[in-house]
Amino acid sequence: MKHLTEFVADHKHDNRCGIFAVCSAHPMVLEAAMRHARDTQSILLVEATSNQVDQYGGYTGMTPADFREFAEQMADKHHLPRHQLVLGGDHLGPNRWQNAPAAEAMSQAEELIRHYVAAGFKKIHLDCSMSCADDPVPLTDEIVAARAARLALIAEQTRKDKQGSSDLVYVIGTEVPVPGGAHETLLTLEVTSPRAAKATLEAHRHAFEQQGLHDLWPRIIGLVVQPGVEFDHTHVIDYQPEKSLALSHTIEEFDTMVFEAHSTDYQTPLALQQLVQNHFAILKVGPALTFALREALFSLAAIEQELQPPYPSSGLRDVLETVMLEHPEHWKHHYHGNNDACRLARSYSYSDRIRYYWPNDKINEAYSRLMSNLADQPIPLPLISQYLPLQYTEVRAGRLEATPHELIIDHIQDVLRQYHAACMGTSPSH
């Protein structure tokens, strides 16, 4: 399989070539992604975010070493060769500790970087853009770059100590909003200016040279910018190529670098393809995948209600709502408005705060009961047509088994197929 720097070279040769990163730790999402990569014989880039996975476990309870073991075991289970799996770390910096003084937060960030690199993560996003407790707001490019260089030095030292190869690559820069998603309703979005992009690059180049990292620059493969794509709870800001043309030309001056676009979830297939062609060649997707998982599970829960099994219903929808109300910490700062608005957002928001709740024991028990209830008898085709029409087409064509598990996997893969097509310069298809 190709080294990530080769994908950059491929894109410089043919701007239809790109790569997408799956930003999720959910087992069903990862299974869908691994089976898709296996079947298409393509590389799978899976990224863990600093709030998901850190040296203390993050909200997933996994350290970087745990996450690697988890991902590799899943790859083995689903017959994806390990050399096709590449792990990346997203927004690695002081984000988790920004309420502490900068010295303490950066000390924690250095340890975070050590754990990620030692665990074998190959793509490291250095993001020190967030202000800490005793910092000015916002930080200057020089402060951000100097801190990123400190973390890069730690990463390189760790790589050498672990006898790591030179296939460790970096991404620099950041986008708006911060990791975790938008906190407010978005109406417009400002595209990163060419001047700001160049200032970020120059500040980082200088900072890396100050740390003696002169040879690192060719392994910085991506710059995170805002191409004008984002989503809030009910709206998607669509990519408008004409607004980012000046920015997209900026990266043409750098032979070993492309742009990385975050928050590309819910963009149309055409927009994804246009992003890649305009040098936003690394596409990140996360909430759209767990959103698809939630859609499939809600559809199966509706089918369960229609079938009225003689045994207790899973009550998945009610259990989810109860647990989210009992533990509002993952949504209360994101969803606003009256009770009805928050109720709808909890279930249907594009930001998909439900993704933080799937590991809950009560919810997991309801999920298991739902799957068991629907596995005990064939799901009638008319109900699949009603609630999962895209999967119905595949079932009728004999390309998909009408089991709960396979219906969920295929629904998630509908999203993955759009990203794969955009990165291959083709049209999405089953």
Side-chain angles (χ1 to χ4, degrees), residues 107-171:
S107 178
Q108 295 279 15
E110 289 177 353
E111 194 62 24
L112 177 74
I113 290 288
R114 286 191 187 96
H115 276 73
Y116 267 85
V117 176
F121 284 66
K122 298 299 185 185
K123 178 176 175 288
I124 301 296
H125 175 204
L126 302 170
D127 183 6
C128 297
S129 60
M130 58 290 298
S131 295
C132 298
D134 54 352
D135 277 333
V137 180
L139 296 178
T140 64
D141 282 339
E142 289 71 25
I143 294 174
V144 171
R147 290 178 180 178
R150 278 179 59 185
L151 298 185
L153 183 61
I154 295 293
E156 288 296 289
Q157 291 171 344
T158 305
R159 177 180 67 86
K160 292 173 183 175
D161 290 344
K162 296 292 181 179
Q163 298 181 329
S165 61
S166 61
D167 59 353
L168 180 65
V169 299
Y170 299 90
V171 171

Side-chain angles (χ1 to χ4, degrees), residues 85 155 284 371:
L85 176 65
K284 308 293 282 292
M371 300 295 281

Side-chain angles (χ1 to χ4, degrees), residues 100 358 362 428:
W358 292 120
K362 292 180 181 178

Side-chain angles (χ1 to χ4, degrees), residues 5 13 20 22 38 40 53 137 164 225 257 266 313 330 360 375 402:
T5 55
H13 176 72
F20 67 93
V22 171
R38 178 198 68 200
T40 56
V53 173
V137 180
V225 291
M257 195 179 300
Y266 313 110
S313 170
H330 294 302
N360 177 274

Side-chain angles (χ1 to χ4, degrees), residues 31-88:
E31 177 184 345
M34 288 175 178
R35 288 170 56 178
H36 179 268
R38 178 198 68 200
D39 295 343
T40 56
Q41 297 184 324
S42 56
I43 192 171
L44 173 60
L45 176 57
V46 175
E47 300 209 17
T49 307
S50 57
N51 59 348
Q52 282 180 321
V53 173
D54 65 18
Q55 61 266 43
Y56 303 108
Y59 74 74
T60 63
M62 287 187 280
T63 65
D66 295 334
F67 187 85
R68 178 184 178 178
E69 182 178 3
F70 166 66
E72 289 183 341
Q73 287 180 352
M74 284 203 68
D76 293 344
K77 178 180 178 181
H78 299 294
H79 309 292
L80 175 71
R82 289 192 180 187
H83 67 264
Q84 287 179 236
L85 176 65
V86 177
L87 298 181

